[in-house]
Amino acid sequence: MSSLPRRAKVQVQTAVSKEEYSYFSELSSASEEDDKEDTVWEPQKKVPKARKQPAPKESKPKRVPGGKKNTALTSGGSECMAVKEELNRSIAIADVDLQETKLDTAQTLKTAKTKRKNPAQRTKKLKVHEETITVNNLVDGAEIPSTSTMGEGVCKKEESEDDFTFGQSPLKRMKTETCPQGQPVKFPGSANTIKEEVEMNWDIVQVLSERTNIELWVCANIIRLFNDDNTIPFIVRYRKELINNLDADSLREVRQTLEELRMVAKKVHSTIQKIKKEGKMSECLLKALLNCRSFEELEHVSAPYKSGSKGTKAQRAKQLGLEAAAKTLLENPGQLNLLSYIRSDVKGLSALQDIETGVQHILADMIAKDKDTLDFIRKLCQNRYICIQSSLAKVSSKKVNEKDVDKFQLYQNFSCNIRNIQHHQILAINRGENLKILTVKVNISDGIKNEFCRWCIQNRWRPHGFARPELMKILHNSLDDSFKRLIYPLLCREFRAKLTSDAEKESVMMFGRNLRQLLLTSPVPGRTLMGVDPGYKHGCKLAIISPTSQILHTDVVYLHCGQGFREAEKIKRLLLNFNCSTVVIGNGTACRETEAYFADLIMKNYFAPLDVVYCIVSEAGTSIYSVSPEANKEMPGLDPNVRSAVSIARRVQDPLAELVKIEPKHIGVGMYQHDVSQTLLKATLDSVVEECVSFVGVDINICSEVLLRHIAGLNANRAKNIIEWREKNGPFINREQLKKVKGLGPKSFQQCAGFIRINQDYIRTFCSSQQTESSSQIQAVAVTSSAGAEVTNEKQGKKKSKTTVDAILKPNPLDQTCIHPESYDIAMRFLLFIGGTLGEIGKPEMQQKINSFLDKEGIEKAAERLKTTVHTLQVVIDGLSQPESFDFRTDFDKPDFKRSIVCLEDLQVGTILTGKVENATLFGIFVDIGVGQSGLIPIRNVTEAKLSKTKKRRSLGLGPGERVEVRVLNINIPRSRITLDLIRVL
């Protein structure tokens, strides 16, 4: 290695246990500090003073003629790191014991002050080493294995143009990650304990793990990742090893549960402060409040202390001074004399019966607020039969439309075990109750009550001594009163709230799955399309768009007003003039008649020589979009109805790019979406859109602002700034230029960089003037540098700065892949291993080289050699082997193009048809079989054996757009209902 020229490389050799996992959130949270000016090195103020020791001779850096210097720090009991030459790297990382490192840091910094022969380079190296030690100290004694030859901690402020050279080392660009390549790092002892802003008597990681059935260490990692503002697409693609390969839906579920727990904790503490201010806080109440894990529990505990309340029966009894009598009954019943509490002039104490009632209310309140008692009754209910019942409300027929009452016919005399009831049944019952059509109650049997009272008398609430019969009667009455008036309503609220919450979450998740399936519908590129927005009186609006989504022509035809034959000539002329053979019809008003019109002309071969086909597409949301400011900005001057036709055509050409313009809840692929939490629905659907757009990726030089704002890490302002930068400075040459955009900080760049593509053919065309550079220079930048030139010091002089600016403008072929910039170094070293070049990315030769290399070594050994994880290496391999125009949406189903039509009356039981899934619900799948009315496959007919084995499925279900083969089971023409059986997925 000594023969390699000029610059030295560092090979960090650190033994890492395979069970170690990454713990990098502390460093990520320090990103704000890294943004500060670090041009001039200053010693850390908080470095502990150490006894002055003579500096070892080995620590003196050796000079390399004509190149940068490497500083190798050593300590008494540690070995020096191996320093090797590699391409364009020159940063040393010490592999020393942590405690000895702290001492050596102070000593080295003192020694450095006396040596000023070459201040610029020495300042640079000391700063590098100081920040390296800071990185090590941030993980509380954990060893951080280095995954590549990179400068850990050399971070520049993003305003400087000299900072972001082409292909610099990953951590130099990414300030926020301790372990940029995903290499697991050893956790400290308290890895699964996370300190929250609001302290409770329960551990949030433990509760989160119990509620989501996910391992503790995974929950701890997820909380850290979310605390560090990482997005779900970034975590799912680039941090797989930290989340144990969870998918995006699971992460969303964990995040929702985490937010709920934090909201409960905040509500608890605000309640505590409120009660303290009123002077009603006691140690027992404080403990009960801090034990609350749900809003229902908190409501139950805090209800008596709400301001403005006239007080509960127990509170009024306590104000009369009967609390001592209640405690005496339990602790020393032999000494209790209720007659001594009689006060004839005081209301509530004038008779013995009043005093017994007051004591009973106090005891009932104590029983209902006792944690052990509530835990027992909850556990008892888990093992017993508890049913939820619904019936027709007595006053419903007077105030509600009869048609609405008929919709709830199934639930007018309904009863089901709460453990077996389906989510859609809960939502239907809730809707009926809200409309005053149904009455709902939870039925807890008397057997549960009797067993509960027996346990209380014999165990928890047994008096400490002999109690007279009249006192035991008070205790029995207290238990009955407590169960009937306090505990039973609490249990009912808890059961209903839990069932509703679960049903809402499942409904929202189902909406999210359907939306994802719809957004990822395979695009139909390269076709000229005619979009048709059907209508009767106002005609059918036509729009012809080019293969690049440009509007070529718009028109209006009146097909259903007796002018159909005359308009056919106009349609044929338009199709021939623009060589358009695909018609896209919206499924709104007059869709059926318009479909029949086109099907008749196609069957008569009217459009010859064109072989015309048509498809039906959902137009949900087009009317809202057509009058939106976005549509007005995109298609100024066009009639809103014509804009709808354009949108309908574009939904087939590129569904994702068009559907992101519409608010997700208006797309219409959900179930009971108006009955669920709108906040939860919006957050989930926005997250699904972000996931889809990010995973598909966008070409930053041609994509729209609307599409760009849905990329992970970006928002409306950042997307607008990117578009403005592109219009002002021309196209982006490489991903590093993103750092020049206003408002795009290190964290935003980290989250979005992997999902942004830069088409190399487009850049080569744009930068044709730069292609005159010598081939040796291009090869030096593209192959021998680890993704580009690196400058580790801002003050390099004019000559250095000029070189850096030139390097920034170099295209990087890795920018067209899904490989994150933090993994460019690994990608370059992997290319060296397999003997590949950047010019072979996406070509068959690259795939052959990768396959032969992996056949010999295996991906595990290759990852070990590269000092990274298998997941990270797999992303690198995928990025290098996928073609330049790769789009994973091609694996999904395309629209169902047709030439003929079938009527509902033509159907017969037993007929086998093919259709396209329109919507998926919790009770069944709606399928468009081309008869104008969707058929329903009951969920019981969707079994795992009938689903496609070749497709990876997130759940046992079908999504919008999938093609299926079905058999007709039942036809109800008066109610327009078709029941289907699933045969197979096509």
Side-chain angles (χ1 to χ4, degrees):
M1 297 299 290
S2 60
S3 61
L4 288 178
R6 304 190 70 178
R7 296 189 177 184
K9 80 167 187 179
V10 179
Q11 177 107 3
V12 182
Q13 302 181 2
T14 307
V16 184
S17 170
K18 291 183 179 179
E19 289 97 25
E20 291 176 344
Y21 293 94
S22 176
Y23 181 53
F24 53 78
S25 62
E26 289 85 355
L27 183 60
S28 302
S29 63
S31 61
E32 293 183 1
E33 297 178 9
D34 291 334
D35 288 338
K36 296 178 181 178
E37 183 72 29
D38 56 1
T39 311
V40 180
W41 177 85
E42 293 181 1
Q44 287 184 331
K45 295 180 180 180
K46 295 185 178 181
V47 173
K49 293 184 179 181
R51 181 172 53 88
K52 189 171 182 179
Q53 298 175 354
K57 294 181 180 179
E58 291 79 9
S59 63
K60 192 171 182 179
K62 296 181 180 180
R63 296 190 177 184
V64 181
K68 296 181 181 180
K69 297 181 181 181
N70 293 286
T71 306
L73 299 178
T74 60
S75 59
S78 63
E79 297 180 1
C80 290
M81 294 171 36
V83 181
K84 298 183 180 180
E85 289 242 343
E86 180 197 23
L87 311 177
N88 222 351
R89 294 283 185 268
S90 60
I91 300 174
I93 304 173
D95 183 16
V96 294
D97 183 78
L98 186 63
Q99 298 300 325
E100 294 177 345
T101 301
K102 290 180 179 178
L103 294 175
D104 281 354
T105 304
Q107 179 61 34
T108 305
L109 299 182
K110 289 179 182 178
T111 305
K113 280 187 174 181
T114 62
K115 300 183 179 181
R116 297 291 183 182
K117 292 182 180 180
N118 196 343
Q121 290 195 2
R122 190 164 303 282
T123 298
K124 171 190 63 179
K125 284 180 286 188
L126 287 174
K127 179 180 66 178
V128 169
H129 179 70
E130 175 199 357
E131 294 184 7
T132 302
I133 300 304
T134 305
V135 170
N136 287 334
N137 290 342
L138 279 171
V139 283
D140 300 332
E143 260 191 347
I144 303 177
S146 177
T147 57
S148 64
T149 55
M150 73 193 83
E152 300 202 18
V154 186
C155 307
K156 304 294 184 295
K157 62 173 185 176
E158 53 188 288
E159 289 79 31
S160 173
E161 292 184 357
D162 298 345
D163 293 345
F164 305 112
T165 60
F166 164 69
Q168 62 195 98
S169 62
L171 200 61
K172 182 176 174 63
R173 292 193 306 274
M174 302 317 304
K175 309 173 186 178
T176 54
E177 296 301 326
T178 302
C179 188
Q181 275 78 32
Q183 176 73 12
V185 176
K186 186 177 180 181
F187 277 124
S190 59
N192 291 341
T193 303
I194 294 181
K195 188 174 181 180
E196 288 288 308
E197 293 180 7
V198 183
E199 294 292 334
M200 300 290 289
N201 283 352
W202 37 267
D203 179 36
I204 194 167
V205 179
Q206 183 73 36
V207 176
L208 188 63
S209 177
E210 291 172 359
R211 293 194 179 182
T212 58
N213 293 320
I214 295 174
E215 297 93 329
L216 276 171
W217 67 270
V218 177
C219 288
N221 281 352
I222 291 173
I223 293 175
R224 289 191 185 96
L225 288 165
F226 283 143
N227 287 348
D228 197 33
D229 297 326
N230 289 289
T231 58
I232 287 179
F234 177 81
I235 296 171
V236 170
R237 176 167 286 181
Y238 300 113
R239 295 293 182 262
K240 279 181 177 290
E241 67 278 1
L242 297 181
I243 60 172
N244 202 23
N245 282 325
L246 290 178
D247 60 14
D249 286 337
S250 300
L251 276 183
R252 268 188 287 275
E253 185 180 351
V254 173
R255 184 169 65 180
Q256 290 166 9
T257 308
L258 177 64
E259 288 174 356
E260 285 179 10
L261 291 173
R262 285 176 170 166
M263 287 171 64
V264 169
K266 288 182 179 179
K267 182 71 173 176
V268 165
H269 277 260
S270 65
T271 304
I272 290 174
Q273 295 302 321
K274 194 173 181 181
I275 295 176
K276 280 184 177 178
K277 193 177 290 184
E278 295 173 358
K280 300 177 182 178
M281 182 59 67
S282 64
E283 186 177 346
C284 182
L285 175 60
L286 179 63
K287 183 179 178 182
L289 287 170
L290 291 176
N291 283 331
C292 293
R293 300 187 183 190
S294 66
F295 288 112
E296 289 74 28
E297 287 185 62
L298 176 61
E299 176 69 20
H300 179 68
V301 174
S302 62
Y305 303 94
K306 287 184 177 179
S307 58
S309 173
K310 63 180 182 180
T312 63
K313 293 180 178 180
Q315 280 184 314
R316 293 197 291 270
K318 288 178 182 178
Q319 291 171 1
L320 294 173
L322 296 177
E323 186 174 11
K327 291 183 178 179
T328 305
L329 191 151
L330 295 174
E331 296 170 0
N332 195 357
Q335 296 182 2
L336 179 60
N337 181 13
L338 294 180
L339 295 174
S340 63
Y341 289 89
I342 295 178
R343 300 287 185 273
S344 57
D345 57 338
V346 178
K347 185 179 179 181
L349 297 177
S350 57
L352 180 62
Q353 180 64 35
D354 295 338
I355 294 172
E356 290 178 349
T357 303
V359 172
Q360 174 185 312
H361 289 158
I362 294 174
L363 288 174
D365 184 68
M366 293 169 62
I367 293 168
K369 291 181 179 177
D370 182 66
K371 184 178 182 301
D372 294 338
T373 304
L374 292 177
D375 288 344
F376 175 81
I377 188 62
R378 288 183 183 120
K379 188 175 181 181
L380 188 64
C381 290
Q382 289 177 0
N383 304 320
R384 296 291 187 275
Y385 178 82
I386 298 174
C387 68
I388 184 170
Q389 299 173 337
S390 66
S391 58
L392 190 64
K394 295 180 180 178
V395 296
S396 62
S397 58
K398 300 179 181 178
K399 298 183 179 180
V400 183
N401 192 338
E402 290 185 6
K403 291 184 179 179
D404 292 335
V405 176
D406 291 340
K407 292 179 182 178
F408 295 93
Q409 187 176 2
L410 289 174
Y411 302 101
Q412 291 179 9
N413 189 18
F414 177 82
S415 178
C416 184
N417 190 337
I418 62 171
R419 285 191 289 274
N420 300 331
I421 193 168
Q422 301 297 312
H423 296 304
H424 68 273
Q425 293 173 328
I426 287 292
L427 295 173
I429 288 173
N430 289 349
R431 178 181 287 185
E433 187 180 31
N434 292 334
L435 294 174
K436 310 296 184 186
I437 296 174
L438 299 177
T439 301
V440 185
K441 70 174 183 176
V442 177
N443 187 9
I444 299 178
S445 65
D446 291 338
I448 294 176
K449 174 188 172 183
N450 296 335
E451 188 173 346
F452 167 74
C453 293
R454 188 164 54 248
W455 176 84
C456 289
I457 290 291
Q458 296 176 357
N459 297 278
R460 180 74 178 120
W461 299 99
R462 184 175 183 176
H464 298 168
F466 174 76
R468 299 187 299 276
E470 61 270 20
L471 297 183
M472 289 303 295
K473 183 180 179 182
I474 294 175
L475 185 57
H476 279 287
N477 291 340
S478 299
L479 287 169
D480 289 340
D481 181 46
S482 179
F483 185 86
K484 182 178 179 180
R485 184 169 56 87
L486 300 174
I487 295 178
Y488 172 71
L490 170 67
L491 293 175
C492 290
R493 289 196 301 271
E494 286 185 353
F495 289 140
R496 291 289 303 277
K498 179 73 165 59
L499 291 171
T500 301
S501 175
D502 291 346
E504 284 189 357
K505 286 180 182 177
E506 187 58 36
S507 177
V508 169
M509 296 302 282
M510 175 66 76
F511 201 149
R513 287 193 291 267
N514 291 344
L515 178 62
R516 180 193 295 108
Q517 190 81 25
L518 191 63
L519 292 176
L520 296 181
T521 301
S522 182
V524 184
R527 288 196 195 189
T528 301
L529 303 177
M530 173 185 279
V532 181
D533 184 11
Y536 288 115
K537 186 177 180 180
H538 299 288
C540 298
K541 277 65 67 179
L542 306 180
I544 298 179
I545 63 171
S546 70
T548 57
S549 294
Q550 300 300 315
I551 302 173
L552 301 177
H553 182 79
T554 61
D555 213 327
V556 180
V557 292
Y558 299 88
L559 308 180
H560 313 301
C561 301
Q563 305 178 26
F565 182 76
R566 191 191 320 160
E567 300 288 10
E569 278 296 324
K570 181 191 289 188
I571 295 173
K572 180 179 180 180
R573 187 170 61 253
L574 289 174
L575 293 176
L576 289 173
N577 288 346
F578 293 100
N579 193 26
C580 174
S581 60
T582 305
V583 178
V584 184
I585 304 171
N587 68 345
T589 305
C591 167
R592 188 69 182 159
E593 292 79 3
T594 305
E595 180 187 9
Y597 177 85
F598 276 95
D600 183 55
L601 293 177
I602 291 171
M603 293 300 291
K604 293 178 180 177
N605 203 23
Y606 182 79
F607 300 115
L610 293 176
D611 181 18
V612 176
V613 294
Y614 73 90
C615 70
I616 307 296
V617 68
S618 171
E619 61 176 44
T622 54
S623 57
I624 297 175
Y625 166 69
S626 63
V627 294
S628 68
E630 295 288 349
N632 192 38
K633 180 180 178 182
E634 185 180 3
M635 296 175 277
L638 271 186
D639 181 79
N641 294 316
V642 177
R643 290 174 186 167
S644 296
V646 174
S647 179
I648 287 170
R650 286 176 175 173
R651 286 188 181 198
V652 171
Q653 195 169 64
D654 191 348
L656 181 62
E658 190 63 25
L659 290 174
V660 295
K661 302 173 184 176
I662 300 164
E663 195 172 352
K665 68 179 181 181
H666 294 144
I667 293 178
V669 289
M671 178 193 70
Y672 294 102
Q673 62 258 37
H674 301 295
D675 297 318
V676 302
S677 166
Q678 295 304 300
T679 304
L680 176 62
L681 180 65
K682 186 178 187 308
T684 301
L685 298 186
D686 289 346
S687 177
V688 170
V689 173
E690 180 185 71
E691 172 198 344
C692 293
V693 176
S694 298
F695 285 173
V696 170
V698 298
D699 187 339
I700 195 170
N701 288 320
I702 62 173
C703 71
S704 66
E705 180 182 330
V706 178
L707 192 63
L708 196 59
R709 68 178 59 155
H710 292 289
I711 287 289
L714 301 182
N715 54 26
N717 287 334
R718 292 170 190 153
K720 181 181 178 183
N721 292 340
I722 289 174
I723 298 299
E724 289 177 353
W725 193 97
R726 188 176 74 189
E727 292 173 352
K728 180 180 179 181
N729 300 283
F732 289 86
I733 307 301
N734 57 38
R735 285 171 172 168
E736 290 299 314
Q737 286 184 294
L738 280 169
K739 295 178 178 178
K740 293 184 177 182
V741 177
K742 180 183 177 182
L744 201 68
K747 193 67 187 179
S748 299
F749 176 81
Q750 177 202 35
Q751 300 299 306
C752 74
F755 307 114
I756 284 176
R757 308 281 186 270
I758 297 180
N759 187 287
Q760 296 302 295
D761 291 336
Y762 180 84
I763 295 302
R764 278 192 290 269
T765 302
F766 179 79
C767 302
S768 58
S769 60
Q770 296 187 9
Q771 298 303 312
T772 56
E773 295 179 349
S774 63
S775 58
S776 59
Q777 275 186 317
I778 296 175
Q779 186 176 3
V781 173
V783 180
T784 61
S785 68
S786 294
E790 178 182 4
V791 178
T792 57
N793 190 358
E794 291 185 9
K795 292 192 174 181
Q796 293 288 322
K798 293 182 180 178
K799 191 172 182 180
K800 288 281 184 179
S801 298
K802 187 176 181 180
T803 304
T804 304
V805 173
D806 290 340
I808 290 177
L809 298 178
K810 296 292 183 183
N812 186 351
L814 292 175
D815 288 342
Q816 68 184 341
T817 69
C818 62
I819 303 173
H820 198 281
E822 67 184 16
S823 299
Y824 281 2
D825 181 76
I826 289 178
M828 296 304 301
R829 287 189 287 137
F830 182 72
L831 284 175
L832 289 177
F833 283 173
I834 66 174
T837 63
L838 292 174
E840 296 174 338
I841 291 178
K843 296 181 180 178
E845 307 89 70
M846 176 66 74
Q847 187 66 57
Q848 292 173 2
K849 291 179 180 179
I850 291 175
N851 291 340
S852 60
F853 177 78
L854 294 180
D855 289 342
K856 292 178 183 177
E857 288 208 16
I859 193 168
E860 290 83 5
K861 287 187 178 179
E864 191 175 344
R865 282 184 61 186
L866 290 167
K867 291 184 172 58
T868 187
T869 63
V870 173
H871 299 298
T872 303
L873 182 57
Q874 186 61 56
V875 172
V876 170
I877 291 173
D878 291 343
L880 294 176
S881 58
Q882 289 167 352
E884 183 175 339
S885 58
F886 174 77
D887 189 342
F888 78 95
R889 289 179 294 172
T890 55
D891 295 336
F892 291 79
D893 296 287
K894 287 184 172 63
D896 191 16
F897 294 104
K898 300 182 289 184
R899 292 182 175 84
S900 60
I901 190 171
V902 181
C903 297
L904 178 62
E905 290 74 14
D906 298 335
L907 289 180
Q908 292 181 355
V909 174
T911 304
I912 296 178
L913 301 165
T914 60
K916 185 180 71 171
V917 175
E918 263 194 348
N919 194 11
T921 67
L922 299 173
F923 54 85
I925 311 296
F926 289 97
V927 180
D928 178 11
I929 53 176
V931 296
Q933 180 65 42
S934 296
L936 175 68
I937 306 176
I939 198 66
R940 62 178 178 273
N941 293 341
V942 182
T943 61
E944 190 172 4
K946 297 177 182 178
L947 297 180
S948 173
K949 301 296 189 300
T950 59
K951 297 182 180 179
K952 294 181 180 178
R953 299 204 167 272
R954 296 175 184 267
S955 62
L956 187 63
L958 298 167
E962 296 195 71
R963 298 184 69 246
V964 293
E965 188 175 32
V966 295
R967 180 186 291 107
V968 179
L969 295 180
N970 184 34
I971 305 170
N972 188 338
I973 295 179
R975 301 183 69 183
S976 298
R977 291 190 176 182
I978 308 168
T979 306
L980 306 172
D981 182 28
L982 176 65
I983 297 176
R984 64 191 177 99
V985 180
L986 300 176

